[in-house]
Every structure is written in structure tokens, then in C-alpha cells.
Amino acid sequence: MMKKEKKQRSLPVKILRTVGIVLLCVVVLLAGFVGFLSVTEFKPEDVEPLEVEGTAAKALKIGDSLNVTSWNIGYGALGDNADFFMDGGTMVKTADDERIKANMDGIIKAIGTPDVLFLQETDRDSARSGHVDEYAQVRDSLNDSGKYTSVFANNFKTAFVPYPMPPIGKVDSGVATYASFTQESAERVQLPIPFSWPVSIVNLKRCLLVTRVKIEG
């Protein structure tokens, strides 16, 4: 009789102990995940020099006219099929690899060969765009038709965005400037960050991409 009573009393204890262990594991995993994102957080300086890639023989002179294109390409995944959750829709991943390739082919074709090209939401290694280096794709396409200089600045970089469901995942994205003439120097200028920790570790770090160009004479 005593053994039976002990077993009955010990059952709730075992259940509570199991629940406690599970909760502890969840807390430890969550803390480790937040810690990992905090350690790997993109923490740019207020002003950072950037590398100008490529060479361009063309120089600017007073009186020159320029053909300028500016385009938010939606990381190659926000085509006419997209019903993106940030726009009130239901989709998180809005394009598969095949659709992203078709979108980027169309974007590159539409860009043509402007003297200056400003791109926004340009992914380099993001889960949402199949880890395609879109900056390099556009750069290489432009250089096929002439010599261009190009610069890239991150404004969204995080190892993993855990929301919504399914999660967005890794994001490596930014703004880019391409020019058919020499860009002498470039720098990334950090804009105010409206988010505090821990939201800041998985959110945008908006910036300006400033380039300087010599003008003959």
C-alpha cells in the first residue's frame, strides 16, 4: 500500500521535473540563439570606406549629360507573382530559384547600359533570393558591354531572421552604384537606427552610399 502511494505521489513530481527540464532546454537554446545573433551582429561604423571595383576609361567633363537609372529591384524575388507579407500578403519566400533567375534576367535586360545605375534591395547571399549574388550579376553584365566601376554597401545583414513563419533566414543585402566612369572613392554613411536590442540584431541598418568623382578641368 505504501509503495502504491509513493508511486502516485512521485508521478506528478516526475511530470513537473520533465516539464522543467524541457523548459530549461528551450530557454538555453533560445539564449544561445540570441547570443549567436548578438555576437555576429552587423555593427558598422558611422562612416566606413568602401572598395571601388573595376576600371573605367571614361572621365567626366563639365557639360556632359548623363543617363541615370535608379531601381529598387526587390532582391529579384518580388515579381508579379509575389504576395509579400510586408505588403499585406501571406508569402514570406516569394520566388523559387527558377523564378529568381527569370526575374534577374529580365531586370538585367531592362537596365541596359546607363551611365549611372543606382540599385536598392540588391542581395548578395540571402536565403530569400536563393543565395544569388545579384550585385555581381549586374556588374558582370554591365562590364560585358563596356568598362564600369561599381560599389556595394550593406544595409541589411544578419545571420538569420527568425520571423515570421517560415522564417526569412539569412539576409545579406544592400545598395549599389555602377558608373561608366571612374568613381574615385566611396564610403558608407550610417543612418540612425530606430531599433533597440534585440530587434536591432535582425533588422535593417539603413545607410547612404556616397561616391566621389573627379571632373576634368
Side-chain angles (χ1 to χ4, degrees):
M1 193 72 177
M2 290 287 292
K3 288 182 179 179
K4 188 174 181 181
E5 288 178 357
K6 284 183 179 179
K7 284 182 180 179
Q8 288 176 341
R9 286 199 300 267
S10 64
L11 183 60
V13 173
K14 287 180 179 180
I15 292 174
L16 288 173
R17 184 181 300 162
T18 302
V19 171
I21 291 171
V22 171
L23 288 175
L24 179 61
C25 290
V26 170
V27 170
V28 169
L29 287 173
L30 183 60
F33 179 62
V34 173
F36 167 73
L37 291 177
S38 298
V39 169
T40 60
E41 181 185 0
F42 176 50
K43 297 178 180 179
E45 300 292 333
D46 289 342
V47 179
E48 293 183 343
L50 298 171
E51 179 187 0
V52 178
E53 297 185 69
T55 58
K58 184 178 177 181
L60 288 184
K61 301 184 294 294
I62 294 174
D64 282 350
S65 60
L66 296 174
N67 182 327
V68 179
T69 297
S70 180
W71 193 354
N72 183 324
I73 62 172
Y75 51 91
L78 296 180
D80 58 4
N81 69 305
D83 185 30
F84 191 41
F85 80 98
M86 290 292 286
D87 297 325
T90 60
M91 301 170 71
V92 178
K93 185 171 176 59
T94 55
D96 57 20
D97 292 350
E98 185 177 342
R99 179 64 195 236
I100 290 166
K101 182 182 184 305
N103 287 345
M104 288 306 300
D105 288 345
I107 287 167
I108 287 170
K109 184 178 179 180
I111 285 171
T113 55
D115 295 304
V116 184
L117 172 63
F118 300 121
L119 291 187
Q120 304 89 45
E121 281 200 309
T122 310
D123 278 3
R124 301 206 70 174
D125 183 14
S126 301
R128 62 187 185 178
S129 53
H131 300 279
V132 173
D133 191 341
E134 298 168 352
Y135 164 75
Q137 279 192 347
V138 175
R139 178 198 63 204
D140 295 344
S141 173
L142 288 170
N143 282 315
D144 284 343
S145 58
K147 288 187 175 182
Y148 278 75
T149 53
S150 59
V151 187
F152 178 86
N154 276 112
N155 63 12
F156 196 4
K157 188 173 184 178
T158 181
F160 195 84
V161 181
Y163 56 82
M165 290 303 291
I168 295 172
K170 181 181 181 180
V171 179
D172 184 348
S173 185
V175 294
T177 299
Y178 306 81
S180 62
F181 47 81
T182 300
Q183 300 178 76
E184 295 291 332
S185 64
E187 59 188 16
R188 182 191 186 281
V189 179
Q190 178 62 45
L191 293 173
I193 300 172
F195 312 106
S196 56
W197 188 91
V199 178
S200 63
I201 62 181
V202 293
N203 221 311
L204 286 153
K205 304 284 174 65
R206 298 188 186 277
C207 70
L208 302 177
L209 169 52
V210 181
T211 63
R212 291 178 171 81
V213 180
K214 286 185 178 180
I215 299 176
E216 287 187 356

